[in-house]
């Protein structure tokens, strides 16, 4: 079946602009996660959704970052007033139930802020 | 402060031999551990996991060993194949918050034909 889909695969934006990154999880997966991976590092947790609600947003670095999942399926990560330090690969993952069920990752969106 | 560490950024192994990838963690609350494999331009793919109630879990050519007292886990690949060449990440989940996994920085494995 279809895996986790992320669009766009690449995004280049200017410092100060607003961007939206989209994630389409595996059908039927209730849990959805956003992670960020900087060069040479492992994925770093940003936010976790169970259904429509953000159950844990403790990894969001500041209030410029926001994510929604209005219908419990597709999620959008929104970054306002982008900074060069936001450049990274943003990974979305879903899992069947959350908890200790394995994460299934998408291919990521590579964000470059110039 | 990194709670999960992979101290070897790279490893090179001959095809057919054993690959051993190591991971250390600092948080004694971690109760669930996973290994992921990542090819370039793709997302990480789940490989194998282990709960802290076990010290070993095996799946085909892949075996994960957990030493709780040393806060150390390792992934053994036997026999190694060229297609195993990828970056391997270990990850750990907190006993009370499995929904936030902590990842190491990865080890790049190169299996030479």
């Amino acid at each position: 079946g279809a895996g986790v889909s992320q669009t766009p695969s690449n995004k280049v934006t200017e410092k100060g602009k607003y961007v939206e990154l989209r994630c389409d999880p595996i059908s039927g997966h209730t849990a959805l996660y956003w992670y960020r991976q900087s060069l040479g590092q492992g994925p770093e947790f940003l936010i976790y959704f169970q259904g429509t609600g953000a159950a844990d947003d403790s990894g969001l670095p500041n209030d410029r970052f926001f994510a929604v999942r209005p219908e419990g399926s597709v999620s959008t990560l929104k970054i306002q007033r982008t900074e060069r330090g936001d450049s990274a690969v943003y990974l979305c993952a879903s899992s069947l139930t959350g908890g200790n069920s394995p994460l299934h990752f998408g291919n990521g969106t590579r964000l470059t802020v110039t | 402060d990194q709670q999960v560490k992979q101290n070897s950024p790279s490893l090179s192994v001959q095809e057919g031999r054993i690959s051993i990838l190591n991971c250390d963690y600092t948080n004694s609350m971690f109760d669930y551990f996973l290994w992921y494999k990542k090819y370039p331009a793709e997302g990480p793919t789940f490989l194998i996991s282990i709960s802290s109630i076990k010290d070993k879990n095996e799946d085909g050519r892949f075996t994960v060993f957990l030493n709780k007292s040393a806060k150390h886990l390792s992934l053994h690949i036997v026999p190694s194949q060229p297609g195993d060449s990828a970056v391997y990440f270990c990850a750990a989940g907190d006993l009370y918050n499995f929904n936030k996994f902590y990842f190491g920085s990865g080890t790049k494995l190169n299996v030479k034909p």
Side-chain angles (χ1 to χ4, degrees):
Chain A
V4 176
S5 175
Q6 291 188 247
T7 54
S9 54
N10 280 284
K11 176 72 177 176
V12 180
T13 191
E14 291 180 350
K15 179 175 176 296
K17 299 288 189 184
Y18 167 83
V19 296
E20 288 190 353
L21 312 179
R22 177 189 166 106
C23 173
D24 206 332
I26 293 172
S27 178
H29 280 196
T30 62
L32 184 145
Y33 309 76
W34 284 97
Y35 279 77
R36 177 168 74 173
Q37 186 175 13
S38 301
L39 196 62
Q41 301 298 317
E44 180 184 8
F45 173 82
L46 293 177
I47 187 170
Y48 157 67
F49 287 89
Q50 182 58 254
T52 60
D56 185 347
D57 64 357
S58 62
L60 294 178
N62 52 59
D63 61 7
R64 295 187 297 105
F65 289 74
F66 189 70
V68 295
R69 194 186 185 200
E71 297 176 359
S73 178
V74 171
S75 175
T76 305
L77 178 65
K78 309 180 182 200
I79 311 174
Q80 298 178 323
R81 304 183 304 279
T82 52
E83 299 177 357
R84 292 195 181 89
D86 299 334
S87 298
V89 175
Y90 289 81
L91 293 163
C92 176
S94 68
S95 74
L96 189 60
T97 59
N100 62 357
S101 52
L103 306 183
H104 299 266
F105 283 90
N107 289 341
T109 293
R110 179 175 297 278
L111 175 67
T112 304
V113 182
T114 62
Chain B
D1 181 30
Q2 238 184 328
Q3 300 190 52
V4 178
K5 296 180 183 178
Q6 294 176 258
N7 292 317
S8 298
S10 64
L11 175 68
S12 189
V13 170
Q14 202 67 38
E15 179 179 8
R17 306 295 291 268
I18 184 171
S19 295
I20 300 176
L21 298 105
N22 294 303
C23 179
D24 297 292
Y25 61 96
T26 57
N27 189 339
S28 58
M29 298 302 289
F30 286 151
D31 191 59
Y32 185 63
F33 306 88
L34 311 93
W35 283 94
Y36 283 83
K37 174 180 174 179
K38 185 183 183 305
Y39 293 118
E42 294 183 10
T45 303
F46 170 71
L47 206 52
I48 192 169
S49 63
I50 188 167
S51 164
S52 63
I53 61 173
K54 292 185 170 183
D55 54 17
K56 176 182 172 181
N57 190 25
E58 200 169 344
D59 183 1
R61 295 186 298 114
F62 302 90
T63 303
V64 55
F65 294 92
L66 175 63
N67 183 334
K68 284 182 64 180
S69 60
K71 295 192 180 68
H72 177 84
L73 65 154
S74 61
L75 175 69
H76 291 209
I77 307 174
V78 183
S80 302
Q81 299 172 354
D84 296 330
S85 297
V87 177
Y88 289 78
F89 293 99
C90 68
D94 187 299
L95 179 64
Y96 296 107
N97 185 9
F98 281 141
N99 298 308
K100 181 190 291 185
F101 289 102
Y102 296 84
F103 283 78
S105 56
T107 296
K108 185 174 184 178
L109 174 65
N110 178 33
V111 180
K112 297 178 287 187

